[in-house]
Amino acid sequence: MRGRGRGAAGPPCSDAAGPDPRRPAGRRRTPRGLRVVGEAATGAEAVSVVRELRPDVVLMDVRMPEIDGIRATEQILASLDAPPRIVVVTTFENDSYVYDALRAGAAGFLLKRAAAEDLVQAVRLIARSDSLLFPSAVRELAAEHGRRQASAAPPWVARLTEREADVLRLMAAGLTNAEIAERLRVGPATAKTHVAAVLAKTGTRDRTQAVIAAYESGFITPG
């Protein structure tokens, strides 16, 4: 996979969170345009490796030794001006650890049993950052755990325009910028501007956090 500032074809992606147990170190094949730039065995080491190598995408085991993947995610995102996109890797999808990692800033999650081609597709999707990774699973997590965090509606809910509210609902449904543009019958640039406005008003880093905020605020209700 490709690190920042390193020349390689394809989308900007890297992995700096831990070895793939399915293939011995030094003998892994990576698809064209992707390059593994670093690995780590513990959460603390992952933070150090990411700070040094500045990858574009990190695969982070949610349960790492020393400090877990949630804390490591928080530290990485807090310590870099342009942090990587972090994907947590877990055994169970409906896991409070996964939801906590998403709330901490992870852009998505993958199951450890995912096929290699699914992992590659997920990394490329996360690198593009224009849609949710596994939107139905994110919605289920947000619906299940978000209502436990629900409180009075935050001020940003009232500040959304009608169009921005529509865009947030479509983001939660997993639509890409292009699909949002088609649904709303606007140009791609306009859709991208609306998405950026939603992220700014909700105070969120990316689509995943925006969807979580939508559920926790009560803007979107399950069912």
Side-chain angles (χ1 to χ4, degrees):
M1 298 184 182
R2 187 166 68 84
R4 299 182 192 278
R6 298 168 185 257
C13 328
S14 335
D15 173 1
D20 182 344
R22 294 168 293 188
R23 188 181 297 277
R27 297 182 59 190
R28 303 187 190 101
R29 296 179 181 177
T30 53
R32 174 185 250 173
L34 305 181
R35 183 154 61 98
V36 176
V37 296
E39 298 175 305
T42 70
E45 187 180 347
V47 175
S48 176
V49 168
V50 171
R51 287 172 176 168
E52 177 185 356
L53 298 178
R54 303 298 300 275
D56 298 286
V57 174
V58 172
L59 299 180
M60 177 77 73
D61 194 326
V62 75
R63 304 195 186 209
M64 297 275 279
E66 296 183 8
I67 63 173
D68 62 27
I70 300 169
R71 291 287 305 282
T73 294
E74 291 175 335
Q75 291 185 22
I76 289 169
L77 296 178
S79 63
L80 297 174
D81 291 334
R85 307 265 294 165
I86 298 176
V87 180
V88 292
V89 184
T90 181
T91 304
F92 306 105
E93 61 184 284
N94 191 16
D95 188 333
S96 61
Y97 277 92
V98 176
Y99 187 72
D100 289 343
L102 295 178
R103 291 190 81 233
F109 73 93
L110 279 171
L111 296 180
K112 290 184 178 181
R113 63 178 180 271
E117 56 269 24
D118 293 333
L119 185 150
V120 170
Q121 182 180 1
V123 168
R124 286 179 166 148
L125 179 65
I126 284 293
R128 291 198 304 268
S129 70
D130 68 347
S131 66
L132 285 175
L133 179 61
F134 304 130
S136 61
V138 171
R139 287 197 303 271
E140 288 176 11
L141 279 168
E144 172 65 22
H145 300 280
R147 59 190 175 191
R148 301 175 188 173
Q149 309 286 339
S151 57
W156 65 257
V157 173
R159 291 199 297 267
L160 290 177
T161 66
E162 183 177 348
R163 179 48 57 91
E164 290 164 355
D166 290 340
V167 168
L168 180 52
R169 293 186 187 96
L170 294 174
M171 290 166 63
L175 273 65
T176 65
N177 288 356
E179 291 167 337
I180 290 173
E182 183 177 358
R183 182 72 61 88
L184 299 179
R185 298 183 179 180
V186 299
T190 299
K192 186 175 181 179
T193 297
H194 287 317
V195 169
V198 168
L199 297 181
K201 287 187 178 180
T202 56
T204 53
R205 182 185 304 276
D206 57 32
R207 301 169 101 92
T208 302
Q209 277 68 59
V211 172
I212 289 173
Y215 277 92
E216 290 190 353
S217 67
F219 175 81
I220 294 178
T221 56

